[in-house]
Amino acid sequence: MYLLLFLYVVNVFTLDVLYMCYSSLPDSLYTAFANKKNVSVFPIGAFLVPYGLLAVVCGIPLFLLETSVGQFTQGGFITCWSKLCPLAQGIGYGYFMMKLYDFSYILVQVWALFYLVFSFRSQLPWASCDNTWNTANCLGLQTFNSSNVTANQTNTTSAATEFWERRVLGMSGGIEELGSVRWELALCLLACWVMCYLSIWKGVRSSGKVAYFTATFPYVMLLVLLIRGLTLPGAWDGIYFYLYPDLNRLANLEVWLEAGSQIFFSYSLTIGTLIVLGSYNNYNNNCYKDCFWLCLLNSGTSFVAGFVVFSVLGFMAQKQGVSVETVAESGPGLAFIAYPQATAMMPFPQFWTVCFFLMLILLTVDTHFVTVECVITSVSDLFPKLLRAPVKHKIFVLVICSSFFLMHLTLVTEGGIYIFQLIDYYGCTRTCHYFMAVCQCMALGWIYGADRIFNIIKDMTGQRPSVFFKLCWNYIVPLLSLSSFILYLVDYQHLRINDWYVYPDWAYALGWTMTLSSVLMVPLWAAGQMCLTAGTFRQVSVQRTVGDHSLKLGKDNTYITILRKPTFKMISSLTHCYRYIV
């Protein structure tokens, strides 16, 4: 059981790192991620108030709701709704679309692998301006750290920024100019999808022992980087900025919205992951207790990781002769510019760079194959006779991985970063999470009934949840999510790059199509069921919202479900296999 808890925290720690990476692009790309920038740029003293409050009233209740649904139904995020509220099965299909867009985040793993290869060079390429891709405005580390140039850096760029923009991305002029496929990134993309396939197709039979390394190494490196960060000059300036309680920021609505986004993202809420992972638990697993421990460990890990981040930011601020706030808010991206640049300033820079990007790769490998496995599990539950057989399952996994590798080749072109931003801004936007949270709470809290959910949890765990959870499911979470959803639409702005590049109209139309492809699944499915099912409107509405009565026994008023059998599907995911063994 404790190994299960540990593996989940590794996964959510990865999501925090990915959240940092997606929101830490250079200045020329930073504006595109205005709605998903790293929340840790806010001092934790003030940010901890909305973060902690939303974790209690939104994060923990939704976490318990989703894991208990998965554990009770023993099904994926699509089929679980047929046993509880068939009229709301469109939520599962909405999750499916959101998961497909999530596949594109493998690009972060690709970038990390690219950096890892260059980290073995005797001279790190992002530390100097003696490379073919550098411009006349480039500043190497020695020049960049000189105090006499900090006042006049308007028209200059660091060597790390130029390596990222010109060598790694090779950015074109816009999404209209895709250009050619960058073969180095394409090879990295192929390697990443191969690693994903090998992690899924045989599960524990091929990579069980590796899990102990991929699960523990990130935490070992987090500790190592924390110790190293705290010993850097200027580190405590960053820590002070991290912990300083600037309460005036509480009046900033964006702080609250970003806190909510961080909770939804790092807790893996309203995207189907928790439902699938919970479905591999034993029926009598105490998911009620696990909920509190996992959320506590998740937030605790994020808090400790903040010391690693801000100790390096303090070091960077001292080297550049600027304030920590300047580095945190307007500096280059953290994951692929500031951190490589900081490690290049340390003794033995190759060692620290290799450790950092190896940690990032291992984290993204775990999270990506869990994301893919959630989709494969949910689709296999729809067609169990066709896809659960071992040979057919391997072929299905191969088809999925091969197809998305080919589709993702567009992301490693010279204009691929613009496509990636479009998917991130529209396909995986937080408005989808807010909408799904409202629908999920309405379907389970009101239509199916919060009291029934309480009875289910009581039957599975022997503990009846606090009435506080019913209050959150029925009122607090829907109201907060709906308010955030409306505020997002009211404050919506078109995706722009550094206020100079505007996407063409067809790109914005494509973006909204991605958003609506998941959101509209809910009303379209409900409308389709009401129109296609025989009977009057009242008869159909009752029939399609009751769920599977066969799950409930009559006399003792307890619930039963058919547990997943220990077939290949049961061990097809490394994380899921540990859940089954424990």
Side-chain angles (χ1 to χ4, degrees), residues 53-81:
L53 180 61
L54 293 176
V56 171
V57 300
C58 291
I60 297 177
L62 284 176
F63 192 101
L64 176 62
L65 181 65
E66 295 186 24
T67 52
S68 60
V69 165
Q71 183 171 310
F72 171 67
T73 61
Q74 298 287 301
F77 54 68
I78 298 178
T79 55
C80 70
W81 295 100

Side-chain angles (χ1 to χ4, degrees), residues 62 65-66 91 95 264 269-270 431-443 473 477-478 481-482:
L62 284 176
L65 181 65
E66 295 186 24
I91 298 176
Y95 289 160
F264 274 78
L269 301 175
T270 64
T431 186
C432 298
H433 292 276
Y434 295 147
F435 182 81
M436 292 300 174
V438 174
C439 296
Q440 182 173 271
C441 289
M442 295 299 294
W473 295 338
V477 175
S481 300
L482 181 60

Side-chain angles (χ1 to χ4, degrees), residues 167-205:
R167 181 65 181 89
V168 179
L169 301 180
M171 293 175 59
S172 65
I175 196 173
E176 308 94 335
E177 305 172 14
L178 283 183
S180 59
V181 174
R182 300 182 64 80
W183 66 271
E184 295 163 314
L185 291 180
L187 290 178
C188 293
L189 178 65
L190 176 62
C192 293
W193 272 111
V194 169
M195 285 189 289
C196 177
Y197 177 74
L198 295 178
S199 300
I200 292 176
W201 80 306
K202 283 187 177 181
V204 72
R205 286 179 287 179

Side-chain angles (χ1 to χ4, degrees), residues 169-180 182 410-421 503:
L169 301 180
M171 293 175 59
S172 65
I175 196 173
E176 308 94 335
E177 305 172 14
L178 283 183
S180 59
R182 300 182 64 80
T410 58
L411 299 178
V412 294
T413 59
E414 294 173 349
I417 186 63
Y418 298 98
I419 302 177
F420 175 75
Q421 292 176 88
Y503 280 78

Side-chain angles (χ1 to χ4, degrees), residues 191-264:
C192 293
W193 272 111
V194 169
M195 285 189 289
C196 177
Y197 177 74
L198 295 178
S199 300
I200 292 176
W201 80 306
K202 283 187 177 181
V204 72
R205 286 179 287 179
S206 60
S207 55
K209 296 181 180 179
V210 181
Y212 290 100
F213 175 70
T214 59
T216 57
F217 182 79
Y219 274 90
V220 173
M221 286 312 305
L222 181 65
L223 179 61
V224 171
L225 292 174
L226 174 62
I227 296 174
R228 181 59 183 134
L230 294 178
T231 58
L232 292 171
W236 291 102
D237 294 333
I239 299 301
Y240 177 79
F241 177 81
Y242 179 50
L243 299 176
Y244 178 73
D246 185 3
L247 299 181
N248 293 328
R249 292 183 178 269
L250 292 178
N252 186 355
L253 184 60
E254 185 180 359
V255 176
W256 292 82
L257 293 177
E258 292 296 342
S261 296
Q262 175 70 6
I263 292 295
F264 274 78

